[in-house]
Amino acid sequence: MSPTKARCGLLVLAFMAALSGPAVAQNLDQGKPASKLFAEGCASCHRSPRGLAKGRFHLTLYLFLQKHYSSGASSAWALTSYLESIDSGKRVAAKPQAASAASRSSMRPPAPVPAR
């Protein structure tokens, strides 16, 4: 290949690269609900979102998630709000022990299998 053809090819490639403009990064987490963000990014290590925000300040949890686990400020904010809403929700009171003990005593083992 002649040097003139090689220079012409490089010039064409440089011109095409200049016209294409800068590459724009996309935030793949943008617009997703927080529950889906948790399911896709956190559920592999944490079985449930319950208790993850317990005892943590809103701002420190947000900054931690933004720095380590989310792709942007909006997804970190959504995850923070989601985790806090799970932990601040009213919990169902446990059943009294007397009722559960009574239900256990009514359960019997299966009947023995008759012999042939």
Side-chain angles (χ1 to χ4, degrees):
M1 185 175 203
S2 69
T4 310
K5 287 184 181 180
R7 280 188 226 141
C8 184
L10 286 175
L11 182 62
V12 168
L13 285 175
F15 184 70
M16 288 174 47
L19 287 180
S20 67
V24 178
Q26 294 179 358
N27 184 356
L28 298 177
D29 292 337
Q30 186 175 10
K32 289 184 183 177
S35 58
K36 187 167 183 160
L37 290 173
F38 180 84
E40 291 177 353
C42 308
S44 60
C45 297
H46 301 282
R47 287 191 280 165
S48 167
R50 192 166 305 281
L52 294 178
K54 189 174 184 178
R56 291 173 179 80
F57 293 113
H58 191 79
L59 180 63
T60 56
L61 181 61
Y62 162 73
L63 291 173
F64 177 76
L65 290 172
Q66 184 182 14
K67 184 175 181 182
H68 297 286
Y69 293 106
S70 67
S71 59
S74 61
S75 60
W77 189 260
L79 271 173
T80 302
S81 300
Y82 173 68
L83 293 174
E84 287 186 342
S85 71
I86 295 292
D87 284 340
S88 67
K90 294 183 179 181
R91 299 186 181 187
V92 178
K95 293 180 182 178
Q97 292 294 336
S100 63
S103 66
R104 279 193 217 126
S105 64
S106 66
M107 293 177 54
R108 296 182 296 179
V113 178
R116 290 187 186 183

